[in-house]
Amino acid sequence: MSRPLPRATAETAPFWESCAEEKLRYQRCARCGAVQLIPRALCSECQSLDLNWLDSDRRGSVLTFTIVYRAPSESFRSELPYAIALVDMDEGFRLMVNVSGGASAALQIGSRVSIGFRQLDGIAVPHAEVVE
């Protein structure tokens, strides 16, 4: 069984294209300044179409995490155990990412992380590393 991979939509294509260049980008409304937690066609605050894609400094804090000990499918078994975290980025958006070495005791709620990129079947996906 093959691993599920992300699929770009019209709204998320700029995000995935920037990942291929090892850049992390996020949306901010040019009208009201709101940062989008999830890429969309309209601003979630004022419904403006005037959204900009900005480069992130790729730093954030772990909001919460889980360590996976039982693989959801055979394609994940070789990576057990692994950690998945929700990361609140310094710019105000949120990512769900795997954490390198995250199954170790170093990962905690509030841990500062840096976002890098990992190639999975030809697609660059963000992943986090604890920096403290």
Side-chain angles (χ1 to χ4, degrees):
M1 176 179 237
S2 65
R3 168 189 309 263
L5 296 171
R7 292 186 199 178
T9 65
E11 289 82 14
T12 64
F15 174 84
W16 293 111
E17 290 164 4
S18 70
C19 288
E21 299 169 2
E22 296 196 356
K23 294 179 182 176
L24 185 63
R25 302 190 85 203
Y26 64 99
Q27 283 183 319
R28 182 182 314 160
C29 180
R31 183 170 159 201
C32 74
V35 173
Q36 304 268 69
L37 292 178
I38 300 168
R40 306 185 174 150
L42 298 171
C43 173
S44 59
E45 295 294 318
C46 72
Q47 281 64 61
S48 170
L49 293 169
D50 195 7
L51 297 168
N52 295 322
W53 284 94
L54 304 171
D55 290 338
S56 168
D57 71 1
R58 300 175 10 180
R59 302 260 182 206
S61 298
V62 173
L63 172 68
T64 190
F65 70 94
T66 188
I67 298 179
V68 178
Y69 293 98
R70 182 182 286 180
S73 71
E74 189 64 36
S75 62
F76 291 92
R77 240 172 246 228
S78 65
E79 298 181 27
L80 291 174
Y82 60 90
I84 301 170
L86 280 178
V87 176
D88 282 336
M89 301 302 295
D90 291 347
E91 295 87 1
F93 66 102
R94 185 172 288 158
L95 285 179
M96 180 183 285
V97 291
N98 283 45
V99 182
S100 298
S104 71
L107 182 63
Q108 297 178 11
I109 292 174
S111 291
R112 293 290 294 162
V113 295
S114 176
I115 304 298
F117 297 90
R118 178 177 164 201
Q119 290 290 324
L120 288 178
D121 297 331
I123 297 175
V125 295
H127 77 277
E129 292 186 29
V130 177
V131 293
E132 292 181 322

